[in-house]
Amino acid sequence: MTSVQTETGILAGEQRMLIDGELQPAASGATFGVEHPANETVVGDVADGSVHDMERAVGAARRAFDETDWSRDTDFRFHCLTQLHEALQRNQERLRRILVTEVGCPISVTGSQIESPIDEVRHWAEYGRDFDYLVDTGLHDTPLGPARRKLHHEPLGVVGAITPWNVPFYLNIAETIPALMAGNTVVLKPAQLTPWSGTELGRIIAEETDIPAGVFNVVTSNANEVGAALSADPRVDMITFTGSTATGRAILAAGAATVKKNLLELGGKSAHIVLDDADLSACLPLAAMMACVMSGQSCILPSRILLPRSRYEDGLAILKASMEGFPMGDPWTPGVMQGPQISAAQRCKVFGLIEAGTDSGARLVTGGGMPENLPVGYYVQPTLLADVDPNSVVAQEEIFGPVLTVTPYDSVDEAIAIANNTIYGLSGEVSGADVERAFSVATRMRTGNVTINGKSHFGIDSPFGGTGQSGLGYRNGAPGYLEYLHIKTIGMPE
Ligand code: NAD
């Protein structure tokens, strides 16, 4: 297909997987293509690993955990992850180009997906080096006399990491680096649409660090059954997963037979409660921007805007103007902040949900189609749906597109009830001039995290996790490190 966009920067990534310290093709030799969503062209291939390849990777990770000092040698792990941090910095621009190539994410907004995760490697290396793995809790009364108790924090074993495509390099780092620093060995299974953000990490680890063979493995595959094999393998102690709620349920079920620990970060349908004293001209342009950056392919996006009825039409007008003026286009062009959706299938899903919205009575205020000036690439116009019934499909299902739904409310209690009316509970937002009132509303939202007046809840030093069907457990902060450790309490003589 002919492209009207510049191809500047398009870069194909590493084709080979990393298994037991060797960069290698699939045992079968099979590969599959990776598409650049801005020009609808396959730009390179990657190994199409099989269940057999996955079993070899799990075997390597098991051996590396059971037979090497990796789990016990904190100083060596710090050394290796410091090396990795430096190597990632050297590879930073290559990683950025690969990210834009396989995701279609605008190059101007890649900082949080490249620089930030690279910094996180350093963070976890230092956090893990300074962590107190042995805590003496002193003497405890027991029927047989006093016992000293020590808490020994130990790695779990083999961690399987399964990642989605929306922020692939960031999530590959977020899921694997704290696990490694805590002393586990890892098998990473990246998403089909974004395999290179995983294989590049494998290549850099193999070529530029002393991380021993088998400690970190990457298996790419075009088949969901390969991720399923990882989540069911009895040699795997824990699955750390980010992705859809449907896949999260399948992973939980697959791990049940071996009572595997699961850390799940799943889908969301977050609400933004705009209170009647909010500064609409400040909070709504920001809300529109959040919906369009990354083409709405963000799990924590507050995609359901709840406006007080008294200010409803004013709010809609601000949202409409902000969305219509949003800089969308070729992701390689500096200043562009909205690129294409990642795939034809994803764009089709977004259009299907917009149509479900209008079918159920929602008013299409702007957008709803493909932009005329971008005939190639999976672009979707920023779309605003008003008068959305909170029980309708478009208000209940995750869209993962540049779409905001707006629903009016009459009382704060009603707004909170609407916000809480989904199976999800990942994130949320409250805007209002009275910050104490906004805080009180935030505490009543049944969700994992809340932003008030644009002040982000998200950061490496603060726990992040969903409630409801948005997940189990935490990333980031102290709880995010503890997820990868078992606390063994040892009772002993004084
Ligand atoms: P997905 O669930 O389709 O796929 C995620 C990963 O799971 C892929 O690597 C896929 O190959 C693998 N997989 C698929 N079926 C599997 C199975 N049966 N067993 C094991 N692995 C399997 O998700 P996606 O479409 O890649 O990503 C989008 C979803 O991710 C959205 O729902 C989004 O909200 C969610 N997400 C959540 C967060 C968060 O922090 N909560 C962050 C980013 C994305």
Side-chain angles (χ1 to χ4, degrees):
M1 183 164 282
T2 331
S3 167
V4 293
Q5 286 116 14
T6 167
E7 298 202 344
T8 313
I10 289 177
L11 186 63
E14 171 61 52
Q15 285 201 16
R16 295 167 296 175
M17 308 186 290
L18 176 62
I19 299 178
D20 209 3
E22 295 285 327
L23 292 168
Q24 52 187 277
S28 68
T31 60
F32 65 99
V34 181
E35 195 179 11
H36 181 41
N39 69 6
E40 306 182 22
T41 301
V42 171
V43 295
D45 296 321
V46 72
D48 191 3
S50 63
V51 169
H52 169 66
D53 291 313
M54 179 55 82
E55 286 172 352
R56 288 193 300 123
V58 173
R62 187 75 257 167
R63 272 194 308 282
F65 186 81
D66 293 340
E67 296 171 16
T68 74
D69 273 348
W70 179 257
S71 64
R72 290 178 291 275
D73 194 342
T74 310
D75 292 343
F76 181 58
R77 297 199 301 271
F78 176 73
H79 157 78
C80 290
L81 291 191
T82 302
Q83 275 183 324
L84 177 60
H85 174 246
E86 289 164 3
L88 291 171
Q89 284 182 318
R90 284 192 294 276
N91 283 272
Q92 182 170 292
E93 294 318 308
R94 177 179 168 81
L95 290 164
R96 190 188 318 280
R97 286 174 59 190
I98 286 168
L99 179 78
V100 178
T101 299
E102 62 181 5
V103 181
C105 159
I107 197 156
S108 297
V109 300
T110 49
S112 61
Q113 294 190 56
I114 296 291
E115 278 88 342
S116 300
I118 292 175
D119 287 349
E120 290 192 6
V121 176
R122 180 85 203 169
H123 168 89
W124 287 120
E126 290 173 353
Y127 190 92
R129 176 197 59 191
D130 300 340
F131 188 83
D132 216 349
Y133 293 90
L134 186 61
V135 178
D136 187 339
T137 65
L139 294 179
H140 298 251
D141 285 337
T142 83
L144 299 178
R148 179 171 298 283
R149 292 198 183 130
K150 291 186 177 178
L151 309 183
H152 193 227
H153 295 71
E154 301 175 355
L156 299 166
V158 176
V159 172
I162 303 176
T163 52
W165 47 259
N166 66 325
V167 278
F169 180 71
Y170 165 71
L171 284 167
N172 290 341
I173 294 290
E175 289 201 11
T176 63
I177 300 303
L180 284 175
M181 192 58 212
N184 302 281
T185 59
V186 167
V187 179
L188 169 65
K189 211 301 285 171
Q192 286 89 324
L193 294 171
T194 53
W196 290 329
S197 292
T199 53
E200 283 292 320
L201 185 57
R203 179 189 64 76
I204 292 165
I205 283 177
E207 292 179 346
E208 301 187 42
T209 76
D210 296 330
I211 293 178
V215 165
F216 185 83
N217 307 270
V218 184
V219 178
T220 48
S221 174
N222 204 16
N224 285 339
E225 65 179 4
V226 172
L230 177 62
S231 64
D233 196 307
R235 297 167 295 175
V236 173
D237 299 281
M238 172 182 180
I239 293 289
T240 173
F241 170 74
T242 307
S244 64
T245 294
T247 305
R249 290 188 198 110
I251 286 173
L252 265 184
T258 52
V259 196
K260 234 181 266 317
K261 177 167 182 179
N262 283 284
L263 168 51
L264 305 177
E265 297 296 350
L266 309 176
K269 190 72 186 172
S270 302
H272 180 170
I273 300 179
V274 179
L275 295 170
D276 54 9
D277 59 348
D279 179 354
L280 300 189
S281 63
C283 70
L284 294 180
L286 196 59
M289 184 183 95
M290 296 308 287
C292 301
V293 168
M294 290 170 61
S295 313
Q297 298 171 147
S298 159
C299 56
I300 55 176
L301 171 68
S303 59
R304 295 183 295 139
I305 309 281
L306 309 182
L307 286 177
R309 199 176 298 277
S310 58
R311 307 186 67 191
Y312 189 59
E313 291 302 333
D314 288 349
L316 286 178
I318 294 172
L319 286 169
K320 177 175 186 291
S322 307
M323 293 182 99
E324 288 176 349
F326 202 76
M328 172 172 50
D330 181 358
W332 299 102
T333 305
V336 161
M337 290 175 74
Q338 180 186 342
Q341 308 309 120
I342 192 153
S343 65
Q346 190 61 27
R347 179 169 66 177
C348 190
K349 181 187 162 204
V350 172
F351 283 145
L353 282 164
I354 294 171
E355 200 178 324
T358 51
D359 285 353
S360 62
R363 169 167 44 123
L364 183 63
V365 179
T366 188
M370 301 179 199
E372 277 176 17
N373 63 333
L374 294 164
V376 177
Y378 304 121
Y379 295 93
V380 174
Q381 291 172 319
T383 300
L384 185 62
L385 290 171
D387 313 341
V388 171
D389 175 347
N391 293 312
S392 64
V393 169
V394 74
Q396 292 292 321
E397 283 190 22
E398 189 177 37
I399 304 173
F400 238 50
V403 182
L404 287 177
T405 67
V406 190
T407 302
Y409 70 84
D410 291 304
S411 70
V412 172
D413 284 349
E414 185 191 1
I416 293 168
I418 296 171
N420 292 344
N421 176 37
T422 77
I423 61 167
Y424 298 108
L426 190 57
S427 179
E429 187 157 357
V430 185
S431 295
D434 180 344
V435 174
E436 266 184 45
R437 178 169 169 244
F439 185 85
S440 148
V441 170
T443 61
R444 294 174 61 197
M445 291 171 82
R446 192 181 57 86
T447 194
N449 318 275
V450 182
T451 284
I452 295 177
N453 292 346
K455 300 294 179 190
S456 173
H457 59 73
F458 192 78
I460 184 77
D461 52 1
S462 304
F464 170 82
T467 57
Q469 295 188 32
S470 285
L472 288 175
Y474 299 94
R475 294 203 195 291
N476 296 343
Y481 196 64
L482 286 170
E483 291 282 4
Y484 296 102
L485 291 163
H486 172 74
I487 304 173
K488 181 185 281 175
T489 302
I490 300 176
M492 55 197 295
E494 299 178 41

